[in-house]
Amino acid sequence: MVPPADPRRDQLALAIQKIVDQTPILDIHTHLYDPAFGPLLLWGIDDLLVYHYLVAEAFRYLDLPYDAFWRLTKEQQADRVWQVLFTQRSPLSEAARGVITTLHRLGLDPRQRDLPALRRWFADWKPEDYVTRCLDLARVRAVCMTNSPFDDLERPTWERGFNRDPRFLTALRIDPLLVGWPDASRQLATAGYLTSSDLTQASFDGSQRFLHDWSQRIGARYVMVSLPPSFAYPDPSVTSQLIEKVVLPFCRESGLPFALMLGVKRAVNPALALAGDGVGRSDLTALQNLCAAHPDVRFLATVLSRENQQELCVIARKFRNLHVFGCWWFTNIPGIIEDMTRTRLELLGLGFTPQHSDARVLDQVIYKWDHSRRIVAKVLTEKYLDLADAGWWPTHQEIQRDVLALFGGAFETFCGPSR
Ligand code: FIX
Ligand code: ZN
C-alpha cells in the first residue's frame, strides 16, 4: 500500500541526507600514509589516473603491450589512461567517475580536458596542506593506514621515528607472514626473531614477539590480512597453523582485533601488476570456525565476493565477536554497495561499519566518501521511512547517534579502548 503524502516524510528524508552528509567519518581501511612517509603518500592528478582500478580498465582499450606500458613514466601512463578513459569515451565506470567527482569537488573543471593545466594546479600544493584539504572536503576525521613491517620502503621511517599526524591511525598488515612464510621467516630471522623457518614452538614464539614489538612500535589498532577464497580453518596449511599458533594468541594477549579480508585471488593476470588480482567465492565456514572457537578474540571481516555477503551477515548474527565492515574493492560500486548496505541493516541493525574507502591516493577519499554517503543516505532514508510507517518517527538526535555509529563509532566500540 502506498502511504499517503505526508510533509513529515520529506522533512525526515532531508534531515537524514543532511546528517549523513555532515557526520565526520573514521575511515577504517585505506592505503594512505602519514605525510612523514614522503613519497609513499600518493596524491595528485597523475596518481589518481594511474590508480590500479583505472589501469585495469584502460588496458581494455590500450593498443600497447603490458611491459611497454610499465616502462613509461608515471606522467606518460597517466596520459594514456586519460586519453582512453576520459577523452575517447565517457568516464562512466565507478573509478573513472570518481576522478571527475574528485576534480569537481576540488573546484576544477575536468570538461576542459586540459591535463597540463590540472597538473599545474596540483603542483602548487604542499602535501601537508593538501592532506587537510582532502580530509576536510571528504569530512573524514581520521584514516587507518595499512602498515607493513615487511615493506622495505615503509619500515625505515618507523625505525627512524617521526612526529605522528593524529589523523593517521595504524593497522599492522601481516600478509607476508601468513601467505609467504619462507620469505617472511627469513626476514624475521635477519631481524633476530627466529633461528629457523621450521614450524616449531620457538618459531611461533619468535613470530609472536615480532607482532608484539611492531604493534607497539606503530600503535596498531588491529592486525590485518587478506586471504584467498581457498582459505580454510582449521586446516593443516601453514597459514592456518600460523593463525592458530601466532596470530590468535597474540590478539588474545594484546586485545587487538584480527581483521580478515577474504576472497582475493592474487595475480590472476600478473602482467597487470597491482591491477591483476581477481575475486572468488570463499567458504565462510573458516570464519565461522574462527569466531566459534575463539570467543575471546575479536574479528573484523569483509568479503570480496558478492555471493558471500548474506552469509557473512548471518555469521555476524551468530557471533558477537565478529564485526562486518566495508564494501571491498569490486563490491565498491553503487549497485552492490546499496544492496549490501540494505542487507546488513536488515540483518544486523546498526552493528556494522558500512564502508571504508580503501583509498590508495589521498584525493580519492573525496569521491569514495561522496559516492558512498549518497548511497548510505538513500538506504537509511528508506529504512527510517519504513520505521515511520510502522509508527516510530526517529528524532534528529537519534538519527545523528545512529549515523555516528555507522561512520566509525560502532567500529570503535567493537575494538574497545586502544591499550
Ligand atoms: O588487500 C587489500 O588491502 C586490497 O584492498 C588491495 O590489495 C587492493 O589492491 C586494493 O587497492 C583494493 O581496493
Ligand atoms: Zn585495501
Side-chain angles (χ1 to χ4, degrees):
M1 196 178 63
V2 181
D6 180 345
R8 285 192 306 168
R9 296 174 69 83
D10 294 340
Q11 282 160 15
L12 180 58
L14 277 174
I16 296 164
Q17 176 74 56
K18 203 161 160 201
I19 291 168
V20 169
D21 271 354
Q22 290 176 353
T23 302
I25 282 171
L26 167 60
D27 191 345
I28 71 169
H29 171 57
T30 75
H31 296 266
L32 302 177
Y33 287 91
D34 185 311
F37 286 84
L40 292 191
L41 172 63
L42 305 179
W43 59 280
I45 187 64
D46 290 314
D47 282 314
L48 282 171
L49 289 172
V50 301
Y51 184 33
H52 69 77
Y53 289 27
L54 290 175
V55 168
E57 291 169 32
F59 262 117
R60 302 184 52 75
Y61 307 113
L62 281 170
D63 184 18
L64 197 63
Y66 293 117
D67 54 344
F69 179 84
W70 296 120
R71 278 198 302 272
L72 300 174
T73 64
K74 180 161 73 180
E75 275 199 12
Q76 289 168 334
Q77 291 174 359
D79 285 340
R80 299 299 179 97
V81 173
W82 179 256
Q83 189 187 18
V84 295
L85 296 184
F86 295 84
T87 309
Q88 294 175 348
R89 41 188 69 77
S90 301
L92 284 171
S93 77
E94 174 60 9
R97 179 173 67 111
V99 175
I100 304 304
T101 302
T102 303
L103 295 176
H104 186 71
R105 296 272 329 272
L106 286 165
L108 299 164
D109 182 5
R111 288 293 282 175
Q112 298 300 318
R113 305 237 174 58
D114 188 351
L115 200 44
L118 292 173
R119 286 186 173 126
R120 285 195 296 280
W121 185 88
F122 282 97
D124 285 340
W125 281 96
K126 285 203 202 58
E128 292 75 12
D129 299 335
Y130 196 57
V131 166
T132 301
R133 179 82 184 121
C134 290
L135 296 184
D136 285 355
L137 269 179
R139 284 178 308 290
V140 165
R141 62 181 160 100
V143 302
C144 259
M145 304 184 272
T146 296
N147 303 104
S148 175
F150 296 95
D151 183 340
D152 294 339
L153 297 176
E154 176 175 351
R155 200 177 47 248
T157 305
W158 288 114
E159 285 168 344
R160 222 175 18 246
F162 59 97
N163 285 332
R164 295 277 303 269
D165 180 328
R167 295 168 297 182
F168 289 78
L169 311 177
T170 49
L172 183 63
R173 185 75 182 233
I174 57 166
D175 293 33
L177 184 73
L178 295 186
V179 298
W181 173 250
D183 285 345
S185 60
R186 268 192 291 279
Q187 266 187 277
L188 262 64
T190 310
Y193 287 95
L194 301 185
T195 46
S196 90
S197 60
D198 299 342
L199 292 173
T200 58
Q201 192 55 46
S203 297
F204 298 144
D205 291 345
S207 303
Q208 242 187 90
R209 255 195 336 275
F210 173 81
L211 295 186
H212 173 86
D213 291 354
W214 272 97
S215 66
Q216 294 271 318
R217 171 175 269 151
I218 71 173
R221 302 296 169 118
Y222 58 88
V223 183
M224 172 180 229
V225 70
S226 70
L227 293 169
S230 56
F231 169 60
Y233 175 91
D235 189 65
S237 69
V238 175
T239 301
S240 196
Q241 282 189 62
L242 288 167
I243 288 178
E244 178 81 32
K245 299 284 183 11
V246 177
V247 181
L248 295 172
F250 168 72
C251 288
R252 195 171 290 121
E253 172 232 291
S254 65
L256 293 181
F258 182 31
L260 296 130
M261 304 178 88
L262 302 176
V264 57
K265 287 186 179 166
R266 296 289 180 193
V268 294
N269 182 355
L272 278 173
L274 209 51
D277 300 338
V279 58
R281 188 181 175 151
S282 297
D283 179 354
L284 294 187
T285 311
L287 181 64
Q288 185 171 297
N289 291 342
L290 279 168
C291 294
H294 305 281
D296 50 352
V297 174
R298 280 169 290 188
F299 297 93
L300 298 158
T302 195
V303 288
L304 198 49
S305 162
R306 180 182 202 166
E307 287 69 31
N308 278 138
Q309 300 304 331
Q310 183 217 19
E311 197 183 349
L312 176 64
C313 292
V314 174
I315 298 174
R317 285 174 68 91
K318 308 299 143 192
F319 298 100
R320 61 185 172 168
N321 56 332
L322 172 62
H323 185 86
V324 170
F325 76 95
C327 300
W328 182 25
W329 203 344
F330 309 118
T331 62
N332 195 0
I333 50 174
I336 298 185
I337 300 171
E338 185 174 330
D339 193 41
M340 282 169 62
T341 306
R342 188 176 290 112
T343 303
R344 288 167 171 185
L345 273 170
E346 289 172 354
L347 280 169
L348 297 172
L350 292 160
F352 71 101
T353 299
Q355 192 55 301
H356 66 269
S357 77
D358 234 311
R360 279 184 179 267
V361 183
L362 172 64
D363 332 38
Q364 290 169 343
V365 291
I366 301 170
Y367 95 78
K368 301 243 189 188
W369 285 112
D370 187 297
H371 293 187
S372 285
R373 275 186 209 262
R374 282 187 216 194
I375 301 165
V376 170
K378 181 179 177 198
V379 178
L380 273 181
T381 303
E382 180 190 303
K383 292 290 141 202
Y384 281 119
L385 284 174
D386 285 350
L387 202 53
D389 291 341
W392 178 294
W393 286 85
T395 66
H396 200 268
Q397 284 76 13
E398 286 168 347
I399 301 168
Q400 249 166 359
R401 176 201 58 198
D402 297 348
V403 175
L404 273 170
L406 291 174
F407 284 169
F411 166 82
E412 288 173 314
T413 307
F414 178 80
C415 294
S418 46
R419 295 201 207 165

